[in-house]
Structures are given as structure tokens and as C-alpha cells.
Amino acid sequence: MSNLPYEPEFEQAYKELASTLENSTLFQKKPEYRKALQVVSVPERVVQFRVVWEDDNQQVQINRGFRVQFNSALGPYKGGLRFHPSVNLSILKFLGFEQIFKNALTGLNMGGGKGGSDFDPKGKSDNEIRRFCVSFMTELCKHIGADTDVPAGDIGVTGREVGFMFGQYKKIRNSWEGVLTGKGGSWGGSLIRPEATGYGVVYYVEHMIKHATAGKESFAGKRVAISGSGNVAQYAALKVIELGGSVISLSDSQGALVLKGEEGSFTNEEINTIAAIKVERKQISELATTEAFSSKFKYIPGARPWTNIVGRIDVALPSATQNEVSGDEAKALIAAGCKFIAEGSNMGSTQDAIDVFEAHRDANKSEAIWYAPGKAANAGGVAVSGLEMAQNSARVNWSREEVDTRLKNIMEDCFNNGLATAKEYATPAEGVLPSLVAGSNIAGFTKVAEAMKDHGDWW
């Protein structure tokens, strides 16, 4: 509509979902769902506020704070807080919109939301970050609660920031409740929460490989290209190695670190070294020239792992940020032999890239690339956040094994739900793999739409 601001990221996310629904048989079988799409695309509430804080030089600084409370049909708003200079309302609306359907796919009682600030934690002292978090939560606490809205971490928001914000919430509200997830393990956090998104995307791809090969193959022997070097990338890489695969790349905003030659893999120790420098907010390039890394890896400034720099690829896991795989890079992945791509990041592929993947899947059978969207493949993080909420409500702590088992089951259900829904509403030709993007979009949307109808939000 012409009276609305230009919001490219949100419009991309909306069009990706809407086109999937249009190209399926959903609206033919249930034409009334068109009205549900109109309703669900408008947030229930958008909160925007100023954040005034003092830096170490006693200078007043001002940032913008946001919380997009998008949809509460299935439960309290649930979604992360992002602290990054790129944050704006379009990005948070796109993330919150995706979060609605991702949360629906977990099977847990969670609505969708997202928030954050254009504050940049990089280069800030702990005291500056604490003062910012206190100011941010002083306003945000008016709008959230364990049964209303439960934020979590995202880019720029680690356990440190969650702790600062939780402390301020508790002081103002005089209430200890599970209002934030990603908490410290000694004060309400869940085991496996830091690992959950990375582990979950690998568990999801396990089912893709098993289905596509009729159980004949696994991660064993697969060359896996991963982008990013944050929590998602780190734990996805560690799980791939545990399952017998070879991790051949990691990256950050400055460039890619890739394995030399066709043999070998990143090791657990090398991944842990990268994790350690990321805690210090340093770049991978600082490791690339050290003797331990330069003999085994090559560093390509400004590159991503999908640009013909890593040789053969069996599995690709984009795990950095949105739109990190372009249409040309999608073609390069196919040329490199990639058979499975699943997003550890949110909306990791551009629409051009998705179109390339889906066209290749439609035109081929056993040789096709199979694409899984982030709203399904990376749902493990919010799933364990939901499990953390359940533990907080019951005042219990589950073992690592129990949480991991529940995570595995959720990712299996997420895969099977998308697969079955694709077969029903986007039936592929014989021998062609079903569209996981169509199945996941339709499955998440219909669950939310049905709840909204029961609540009288549309009829």
C-alpha cells in the first residue's frame, strides 16, 4: 500500500510466504484463508522508544529501542532481541513475521515477536553495555512478562546482556519470573540452549539426508560448508564433526576461512579457538595468519563460502545473517555438487536463490539440491527457549540428555510436518522431492490461522 513506509526485508519475508501459499492448493481448498493472511501480516503491537545512556566518558548517548509484538494466537510473544547498528523496524518486522511460523512449527505454545536496538556492543566496555541494558530494560519492562512476551538473545545479545536486563527487570517489577530466555545456568537457564540452534539445524538435515537417500547415507563423509562463526555456526560445526562429517569453512563479516584441498576438516580445538576470539569480538582474520591456521586454511577477505572457493560441497549451512546466499551463489552451490542446504540464519537465502534451488529440485530427482528454510531448519533455538520457559514455570531443571532428546524430537516433528504438508498442498511430480519451503510455510501458517479464527481475529 502506498501509505506504508518502504520496508524491504519485511516485504521480502511477506512475499516469500504469500507466494508459497498462492502457488499451492491451500487457497483453492480453503479460500477463506486469504483473509487470515491479511490479518497475520499486521503486527498486533509495535513498541518504539528512546534509550538514553551514559558512556565511560560521561557523555550521553541515544539509541532507538523496539519491540514488535507480532502475533499471540499460540502463546506469549516469543523472539529475540538484536543489538546491532543495522537494526530498524523493517528488519525486526521481518524477523518477527518469520518467528510466528517458526514457533508454530515447534509445536510449543509460543507466539511471535522480535525486538532490539541500533546499539552496537562492539568496542563497548562491560560498564557501558550494562548501563545501556539497564536503560533499555527500564522501558521494555513495561511491555513484557512471562505470560505476555518473553524475549531472548539474538545478534549482539549474549548471556551477559540477558543477565544485565534480567537484573533490571527484577528490580523494577519486584518479580522473579521466566521473562527472558538464554539465562545463566545457575539462575534459570536451560542446558543446551547455547547449542540449540546449531544442533537443531544439523538434526533437521539428518532427516533430509535420510529421507532423500532412503536411509543409505548420513553426515558421515559429507563435506559441509558453514558460514558465520557465532553460536549457531560453532555448534553446528561441532555437531557435524561428531556425526562424522567434515567442516570445510567458517566465516565472519570480513571474510571466509576455508580448508585447503579436498581432505581434512576443522577440528573441535580449532572451532573452540575461533569461539574464544569471537567472545572478545575479534575477527577471524586475526587467526588466519598464525602458523596453526595458515598451514591448513586459506583466508579470503570479503568472500562467503559459496563462491567457488571451497571445492566440492555436499551440505551447505548458511548460519550468519539474512540474504547471505544470492542467486548466483545458489548456482555456484549446485555446480559444486551440493545436495542439501538448510538455513541456520533467518532468511539466509535471497528470493532469487530460493527460486534457483526450487527450480533445480523440480527439474531433477535424485540429483537435485534440497532446500530447507530457516523457519523450519533453525527452529531448535526457540524450541529450547520454549523448554526453558516450561522449566521456569515448573521451577525444575532438566538434564542435558532430556533437553537434547526433546530437541531431537521437535526437529523430527518439524521436518515430518513440513514434508507431509508439502505432499498435501504442493504435491511434487513422481520421484521429485517435496518442497520443504512450501510445506513449512503452509504448516506454520495454517496452525496460526486456525488459532486466530478460534479467537475471532478473522472469520
Side-chain angles (χ1 to χ4, degrees), residues 45 57 75 134 208 265 267 271 294 340 354 360 394 417:
R45 188 176 298 103
N57 296 317
V134 166
M208 294 174 69
S265 169
T267 65
I271 293 166
S294 62
F340 305 95
I354 295 171
H360 195 265
N417 190 7

Side-chain angles (χ1 to χ4, degrees), residues 54-290:
E54 190 177 88
D55 65 22
D56 288 342
N57 296 317
Q58 288 77 54
Q59 297 296 308
V60 170
Q61 302 293 334
I62 305 169
N63 288 98
R64 291 169 176 81
F66 304 88
R67 187 66 180 173
V68 179
Q69 296 176 330
F70 223 119
N71 192 284
S72 59
L74 297 179
Y77 306 107
K78 187 81 190 81
L81 296 170
R82 177 175 292 191
F83 293 169
H84 192 273
S86 67
V87 163
N88 57 41
L89 196 54
S90 175
I91 287 176
L92 294 180
K93 283 180 67 176
F94 124 62
L95 291 167
F97 188 67
E98 291 275 294
Q99 198 78 49
I100 301 168
F101 311 110
K102 179 190 300 186
N103 293 359
L105 289 170
T106 69
L108 303 175
N109 296 122
M110 300 182 293
K114 206 76 179 183
S117 174
D118 55 4
F119 171 76
D120 187 358
K122 289 184 178 179
K124 306 293 192 300
S125 70
D126 282 354
N127 271 329
E128 287 176 321
I129 290 171
R130 178 182 55 80
R131 288 192 290 268
F132 172 83
C133 288
V134 166
S135 181
F136 181 84
M137 181 52 74
T138 299
E139 177 60 33
L140 185 65
C141 74
K142 304 170 187 176
H143 310 285
I144 64 176
D147 297 316
T148 304
D149 185 351
V150 184
D154 193 80
I155 294 172
V157 178
T158 66
R160 172 183 57 180
E161 288 78 14
V162 169
F164 291 152
M165 288 188 284
F166 185 85
Q168 181 67 358
Y169 179 91
K170 184 163 59 72
K171 290 172 187 174
I172 294 176
R173 299 288 289 266
N174 191 28
S175 176
W176 197 112
E177 55 184 287
V179 70
L180 289 160
T181 55
K183 296 184 289 297
S186 63
W187 50 277
S190 175
L191 293 169
I192 311 252
R193 178 58 192 92
E195 301 94 328
T197 308
Y199 281 12
V201 70
V202 175
Y203 292 153
Y204 191 97
V205 175
E206 271 194 302
H207 294 293
M208 294 174 69
I209 296 171
K210 182 178 179 181
H211 181 87
T213 66
K216 296 176 183 177
E217 296 180 19
S218 67
F219 266 102
K222 296 284 190 295
R223 284 171 56 88
V224 182
I226 301 176
S227 66
S229 49
N231 265 14
V232 179
Q234 292 165 24
Y235 288 114
L238 292 172
K239 183 57 69 172
V240 166
I241 293 168
E242 180 186 322
L243 296 176
S246 298
V247 175
I248 60 176
S249 69
L250 289 170
S251 68
D252 60 21
S253 60
Q254 302 300 311
L257 188 66
V258 302
L259 187 72
K260 293 179 179 177
E262 293 286 319
E263 301 296 328
S265 169
F266 279 80
T267 65
N268 289 4
E269 293 75 18
E270 289 159 349
I271 293 166
N272 291 335
T273 299
I274 290 172
I277 70 162
K278 286 301 170 179
V279 170
E280 300 172 4
R281 303 187 185 278
K282 295 180 179 179
Q283 301 295 329
I284 286 180
S285 58
E286 296 186 32
L287 285 177
T289 55
T290 64

Side-chain angles (χ1 to χ4, degrees), residues 436-454:
L436 292 176
V437 64
S440 301
N441 280 337
I442 297 166
F445 170 77
T446 54
K447 183 172 183 179
V448 174
E450 287 163 7
M452 290 169 62
K453 186 175 184 181
D454 289 345

Side-chain angles (χ1 to χ4, degrees), residues 3 6 11 32 94 112 133 135 151 162 195 215 256-257 273 309 316-317 323-324 340 354 371 399 415:
N3 64 319
Y6 178 52
E11 290 174 20
E32 69 274 15
F94 124 62
C133 288
S135 181
V162 169
E195 301 94 328
L257 188 66
T273 299
I309 59 175
L317 303 178
N323 290 330
E324 57 173 310
F340 305 95
I354 295 171
Y371 163 74
S399 69
F415 172 79

